[in-house]
């Protein structure tokens, strides 16, 4: 009997293709937008994760202040900012950390930040200076795409050399090979030693490709700062991260108070970003889900009209032996099928859309999103099909047959 | 007795006034009878048809079908009963639009829960019986009025019902098609089918064995005929077209 009701419902849908399509449109758009938006969110999460993995999973960061707060999220930003402006981190701490923990640590870089106006010929650009020691190349796996990295000696002697991020190199030099050329930073002349290979990033995070990387000591002497903004420390192995973190903290506690520094690893940062993106994805999906509800109401509207329009048909079916339950089943199945078909079309559109978006932006349609969209659309059809189906089931056969 | 109505009354509430469409009607119909029901508009003949065919519930009185009291049947039981025991032929044909003749005829079988293979086989055989074996896949729009009504007759017969109710079966047909349908009903009657037909065309009514006339919700006359009009005589008096009459109204 259920199979027959399905057949009747499918037949009814195919008898009115245009109406069926228009009815489905709401659900198509609803499911399409939910899946597409969540696919973008999920894609972003995966992208961020990949970026972090690419940066190395055996990396620990030491920063001044406590940017993660007690609860793990980005805590007291104001406090963190104040901490970071005070030169709490000293290069000698890094030396000490590396010296004391040779068994677990491989290498470490101190970084400092400054701002300057860069000028090459008539191109002027405000840039972020990211002062690093020469071993930044190995610790952060940032190879020189053109030229070579400056040396430890360049750093030690505060020589005016620098590395360019791929992005800023393009902006300042265009097609010209920057290696060996000189650029001016706040009027002083620097030799371009090399260009770092493209690293990607962005989406609100630091844009490493647009930084200029002078030796840390050069940054300190030329830009009148002593501010070390982080240590980037490489452990010998990924498995040593937890041990290394404790050991670094122990060493640092000998120099600074508990609140004056933080040691964190990529996963901690990653977790925070992922949780933000997760909320964002859910939020976007939620907003899109409203259109799914609107789609459901659309189905209900059309089904109600359809019940009036097919009053005679319903009357006839009843006269020929259809029980109220069978009529109800027929219309419920019809509404649900419409919704599911709509969901499938929406899914297909979202999938194609995500493929198209992938050219510019990470997007990934997950199985969870598909299952969710499918379930929700069938439930929407079922719920919004009840009212029309009940109306159809309650029609009296005589009234219905008399209906013109 | 196949069908027996005892003191059946049907009232309608129309605003504040109560209309007695059927006023204590008692009629017995035996197996194999061909009954014509006549009467002016509002006489209760259509209401009688609805109540007797289980489409509507009587306000009071009792109905027995095959010696079973079916008066108190609920909606589901009535639906099953209609499906099994009753065949309908309507003035408006009432075929499902954009649905093939075959699928239209299969409809009662579907609600009877019969397997697809058997449905097809039986529907084909029935359409063959009404002379439409070459029109199985045609939709109502692709069939003439007479052909559509023949599909409806096939549908009425498909579940082998005890009684066939025909409500103005020729009312929407031209004279030739009307004769074809009357012919078909006559044939069915000869084969032993019980037929109850409402009509307001005396020429059509005359083919039945028994003529019941309604007036003001009551049976005004109930007479048996020894020699119903042979089909051949009908040719001289074609049935009037109700459609035109309706339009003039």
């Amino acid at each position: 009997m259920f199979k027959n009701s399905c057949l009747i419902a499918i037949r009814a849908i195919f008898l009115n293709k245009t109406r069926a399509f228009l009815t489905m449109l709401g659900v198509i758009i609803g499911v399409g937008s939910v899946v597409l938006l969540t696919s973008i969110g999920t894609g972003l999460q995966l992208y961020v994760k990949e970026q972090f993995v690419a940066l190395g999973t055996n990396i620990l960061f030491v920063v001044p202040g406590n940017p993660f707060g007690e609860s793990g999220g980005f805590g007291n930003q104001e406090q963190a900012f104040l901490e970071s402006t005070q030169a709490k981190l000293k290069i000698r701490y890094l030396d000490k950390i590396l010296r004391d923990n040779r068994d677990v640590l491989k290498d470490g870089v101190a970084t400092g930040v400054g701002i300057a106006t860069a000028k090459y010929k008539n191109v002027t650009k405000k840039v972020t200076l990211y002062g690093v020691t020469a071993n930044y190349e190995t610790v952060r796996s940032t190879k020189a795409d053109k030229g070579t990295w400056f040396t430890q000696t360049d750093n030690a002697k505060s020589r005016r050399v620098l590395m360019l991020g791929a992005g800023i190199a393009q902006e300042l030099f265009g097609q010209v090979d920057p290696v060996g050329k000189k650029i001016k930073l706040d009027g002083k002349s620097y030799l371009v030693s090399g260009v770092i290979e493209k690293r990607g990033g962005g989406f609100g995070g630091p844009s490493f490709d647009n930084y200029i990387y002078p030796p840390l000591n050069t940054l300190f002497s030329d830009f009148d700062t002593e501010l070390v903004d982080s240590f980037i420390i490489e452990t010998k192995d990924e498995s040593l991260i937890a041990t290394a973190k404790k050991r670094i903290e122990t060493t640092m506690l000998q120099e600074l108070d508990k609140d004056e520094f933080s040691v964190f690893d990529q996963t901690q940062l990653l977790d925070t970003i992922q949780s933000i993106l997760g909320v964002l994805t859910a939020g976007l999906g939620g907003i899109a889900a409203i259109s799914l509800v609107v789609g459901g109401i659309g189905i209900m509207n059309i089904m109600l009209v359809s019940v009036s329009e097919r009053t005679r048909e319903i009357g006839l079916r009843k006269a020929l032996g259809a029980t109220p339950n069978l009529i109800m089943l027929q219309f419920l199945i019809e509404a649900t099928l419409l919704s599911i078909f709509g969901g499938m079309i929406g899914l297909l559109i979202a999938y194609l859309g995500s493929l198209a978006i992938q050219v510019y932006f990470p997007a990934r349609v997950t199985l969870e999103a598909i299952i969710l969209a499918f379930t929700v659309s069938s439930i929407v059809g079922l719920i919004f099909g009840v009212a029309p189906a009940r109306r159809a089931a309650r029609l009296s056969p005589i009234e219905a047959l008399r209906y013109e | 007795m196949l069908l027996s109505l005892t003191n059946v009354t049907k009232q309608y509430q129309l605003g504040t006034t109560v209309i007695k469409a059927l006023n204590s009607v008692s009629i017995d119909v035996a197996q194999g009878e061909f009954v014509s029901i006549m009467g002016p508009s509002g006489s209760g003949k259509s209401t009688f048809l609805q109540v007797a065919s289980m489409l509507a519930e009587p306000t009071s009185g009792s109905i027995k079908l095959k010696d079973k009291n079916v008066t108190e049947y609920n909606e589901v039981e009535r639906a099953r009963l209609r499906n099994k025991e009753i065949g309908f032929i309507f003035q408006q044909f009432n075929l499902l639009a954009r649905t093939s003749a075959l699928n239209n005829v299969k409809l009662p079988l579907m609600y009877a829960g019969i397997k697809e293979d058997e449905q097809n086989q039986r529907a084909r055989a029935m359409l063959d019986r009404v002379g439409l074996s070459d029109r199985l896949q045609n939709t109502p729009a692709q069939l003439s009025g007479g052909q559509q009504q023949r599909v409806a007759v096939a549908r009425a017969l498909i579940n082998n019902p005890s009684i066939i109710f025909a409500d103005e079966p020729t009312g929407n047909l031209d004279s030739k098609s009307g004769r074809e349908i009357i012919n078909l009903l006559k044939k069915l009657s000869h084969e032993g089918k019980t037929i109850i037909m409402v009509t307001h065309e005396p020429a059509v009514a005359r083919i039945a064995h028994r003529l019941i006339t309604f007036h003001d919700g009551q049976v005004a006359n109930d007479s048996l005929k020894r020699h119903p009009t042979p089909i051949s005589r009908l040719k001289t008096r074609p049935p009037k077209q109700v459609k035109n009459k309706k339009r003039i109204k």
Side-chain angles (χ1 to χ4, degrees):
Chain A
M1 219 19 117
F2 183 77
K3 192 185 139 210
N4 279 338
S5 297
C6 285
L7 282 174
I8 294 170
I10 290 170
R11 217 171 270 155
I13 291 171
F14 279 93
L15 282 180
N16 261 304
K17 290 189 198 74
T18 317
R19 185 176 70 193
F21 176 75
L22 289 174
T23 313
M24 286 188 280
L25 206 56
V27 176
I28 292 175
I29 293 171
V31 169
S33 47
V34 168
V35 174
L36 192 60
L37 285 175
T38 51
S39 82
I40 290 172
T42 316
L44 257 178
Q45 280 177 307
L46 286 169
Y47 175 81
V48 168
K49 197 171 177 183
E50 278 166 17
Q51 292 288 310
F52 270 84
V53 171
L55 287 176
T57 45
N58 57 339
I59 299 287
L60 283 163
F61 297 88
V62 181
V63 295
N66 191 6
F68 285 98
E70 293 291 314
S71 53
F74 289 109
N76 192 335
Q77 292 293 321
E78 228 174 303
Q79 183 65 27
F81 179 73
L82 282 175
E83 299 278 358
S84 70
T85 57
Q86 294 161 19
K88 293 282 187 195
L89 295 184
K90 306 271 191 250
I91 293 177
R92 62 183 173 84
Y93 301 164
L94 177 63
D95 295 339
K96 190 172 181 206
I97 289 168
L98 293 175
R99 203 168 53 237
D100 289 357
N101 304 296
R102 255 181 223 140
D103 50 334
V104 289
L105 302 182
K106 195 170 160 196
D107 203 353
V109 183
T111 65
V113 177
I115 288 170
T117 308
K119 189 165 184 283
Y120 175 72
K121 290 191 172 165
N122 44 15
V123 186
T124 311
K125 194 99 178 84
K126 195 97 176 159
V127 292
T128 301
L129 302 178
Y130 198 64
V132 294
T133 43
N135 55 352
Y136 187 80
E137 179 189 5
T138 53
V139 174
R140 295 298 270 163
S141 7
T142 46
K143 290 194 183 69
D145 189 31
K146 290 171 187 160
T148 51
W149 267 87
F150 53 74
T151 60
Q152 290 292 16
T153 327
D154 290 332
N155 181 42
K157 299 196 167 169
S158 304
R159 282 183 188 144
R160 285 184 176 159
V161 291
L162 44 77
M163 295 297 289
L164 295 178
I168 191 72
Q170 174 71 26
E171 280 184 56
L172 288 175
F173 288 90
Q175 295 305 313
V176 181
D177 182 2
V179 179
K181 303 278 189 310
K182 289 203 164 179
I183 66 165
K184 288 197 166 164
L185 293 179
D186 288 356
K188 295 170 197 118
S189 206
Y190 293 79
L191 180 75
V192 177
S193 174
V195 178
I196 298 171
E197 64 182 3
K198 201 165 165 57
R199 293 168 71 183
F203 295 128
S207 176
F208 292 110
D209 288 338
N210 291 325
Y211 290 172
I212 286 178
Y213 301 78
L216 187 62
N217 284 329
T218 313
L219 181 80
F220 285 170
S221 56
D222 285 2
F223 291 88
D224 193 27
T225 170
E226 280 285 297
L227 217 66
V228 174
D229 83 329
S230 73
F231 299 151
I232 305 170
I233 299 166
E234 189 182 10
T235 63
K236 283 191 168 151
D237 190 84
E238 203 184 316
S239 60
L240 294 169
I241 282 278
T243 325
K245 196 175 163 188
K246 274 197 198 106
R247 300 265 286 272
I248 292 168
E249 272 167 351
T250 315
T251 312
M252 285 299 291
L253 278 172
Q254 294 165 13
E255 305 289 343
L256 293 173
D257 279 347
K258 193 168 164 278
D259 290 343
E260 288 173 322
F261 73 96
S262 304
V263 183
F264 62 90
D265 56 73
Q266 303 259 35
T267 55
Q268 213 172 336
L269 196 60
L270 186 61
D271 286 348
T272 310
I273 294 174
Q274 294 292 62
S275 74
I276 291 170
L277 286 178
V279 171
L280 200 74
T281 307
L284 282 176
I287 292 166
I290 294 171
S291 60
L292 204 55
V293 174
V294 175
I297 293 170
I299 286 190
M300 182 165 68
N301 275 334
I302 302 285
M303 291 299 293
L304 282 172
V305 171
S306 168
V307 167
S308 308
E309 197 185 276
R310 285 153 67 186
T311 302
R312 272 187 91 87
E313 179 198 321
I314 295 161
L316 174 76
R317 287 183 185 278
K318 285 195 156 183
L320 297 185
T323 58
N325 281 345
L326 276 178
I327 296 288
M328 176 133 176
L329 191 65
Q330 179 194 335
F331 277 85
L332 264 186
I333 291 174
E334 200 176 319
T336 311
L337 280 182
L338 276 175
S339 194
I340 290 176
F341 286 159
M344 290 202 287
I345 297 173
L347 204 59
L348 187 72
I349 290 174
Y351 180 68
L352 295 177
S354 76
L355 285 185
I357 285 177
Q358 264 168 19
V359 180
Y360 312 98
F361 205 82
R364 183 93 48 101
V365 178
T366 59
L367 189 65
E368 285 93 334
I370 293 170
I371 292 170
L372 191 73
F374 217 73
T375 318
V376 170
S377 63
S378 10
I379 290 173
V380 161
L382 204 60
I383 289 173
F384 289 101
V386 168
R390 279 171 71 106
R391 177 178 287 190
R394 279 179 184 167
L395 281 174
S396 130
I398 312 161
E399 297 298 322
L401 279 171
R402 213 184 278 150
Y403 184 88
E404 303 268 347
Chain B
M1 206 50 69
L2 180 66
L3 175 73
S4 87
L5 281 75
T6 315
N7 297 326
V8 168
T9 299
K10 177 75 180 173
Q11 293 179 346
Y12 290 110
Q13 187 91 27
L14 206 76
T16 49
T17 49
V18 175
I19 295 168
K20 267 195 179 168
L22 282 184
N23 191 358
S24 196
V25 170
S26 298
I27 293 175
D28 288 336
V29 177
Q31 169 71 42
E33 271 192 294
F34 189 166
V35 184
S36 274
I37 311 244
M38 290 197 76
S41 293
S43 62
K45 59 185 195 298
S46 290
T47 309
F48 165 76
L49 195 82
Q50 288 164 4
V51 172
S53 66
M54 303 287 140
L55 280 173
E57 279 177 272
T59 312
S60 65
S62 80
I63 304 172
K64 276 186 178 173
L65 182 69
K66 285 180 161 175
D67 293 326
K68 243 186 274 172
N69 191 342
V70 295
T71 325
E72 300 287 317
Y73 271 24
N74 65 25
E75 216 184 325
V76 175
E77 290 168 321
R78 303 169 78 82
R80 298 220 171 104
L81 193 73
R82 285 195 298 268
N83 181 255
K84 260 180 78 181
E85 304 288 359
I86 290 162
F88 288 96
I89 302 167
F90 302 96
Q91 181 180 2
Q92 311 282 353
F93 321 138
N94 278 333
L95 299 177
L96 292 185
R98 285 170 287 178
T99 305
S100 69
L102 190 69
N103 281 334
N104 264 297
V105 174
K106 275 160 66 179
L107 213 55
L109 294 178
M110 218 146 102
Y111 289 119
I114 286 168
K115 282 190 185 131
E116 182 89 21
D117 287 350
E118 197 188 331
Q119 282 182 28
N120 282 322
Q121 189 200 326
R122 278 170 66 175
R124 267 173 224 273
M126 195 53 79
L127 279 165
D128 188 39
R129 205 170 142 190
V130 298
L132 289 173
S133 51
D134 54 341
R135 293 277 189 275
L136 299 180
Q137 297 306 327
N138 290 42
T139 63
Q142 296 163 333
L143 296 169
S144 73
Q147 287 171 328
Q148 288 185 55
Q149 193 62 303
R150 276 191 278 159
V151 174
V153 171
R155 183 180 63 190
L157 292 171
I158 192 79
N159 246 351
N160 198 22
S162 309
I163 311 177
I164 290 168
F165 285 90
D167 188 1
E168 306 268 13
T170 59
N172 254 4
L173 297 174
D174 60 75
S175 52
K176 185 173 168 280
S177 306
R179 273 198 306 278
E180 278 173 16
I181 294 302
I182 292 301
N183 218 339
L184 199 54
L185 291 176
K186 234 8 240 207
K187 210 171 114 195
L188 292 173
S189 175
H190 279 306
E191 287 167 15
K193 284 279 170 206
T194 311
I195 302 171
I196 299 177
M197 174 176 70
V198 164
T199 181
H200 63 270
E201 296 167 61
V204 174
R206 239 169 263 144
I207 64 163
H209 308 114
R210 182 177 167 190
L211 178 67
I212 297 174
T213 314
F214 272 82
H215 201 271
D216 283 342
Q218 287 179 311
V219 177
N221 190 14
D222 187 346
S223 57
L224 286 174
K225 303 175 93 190
R226 289 262 169 96
H227 303 289
T229 312
I231 304 291
S232 53
R233 287 267 307 275
L234 274 172
K235 282 174 188 166
T236 51
R237 281 190 229 166
K240 279 180 246 162
Q241 288 205 27
V242 179
K243 219 176 184 179
N244 295 340
K245 205 176 164 190
K246 258 191 170 175
R247 268 185 210 141
I248 293 160
K249 259 192 212 169

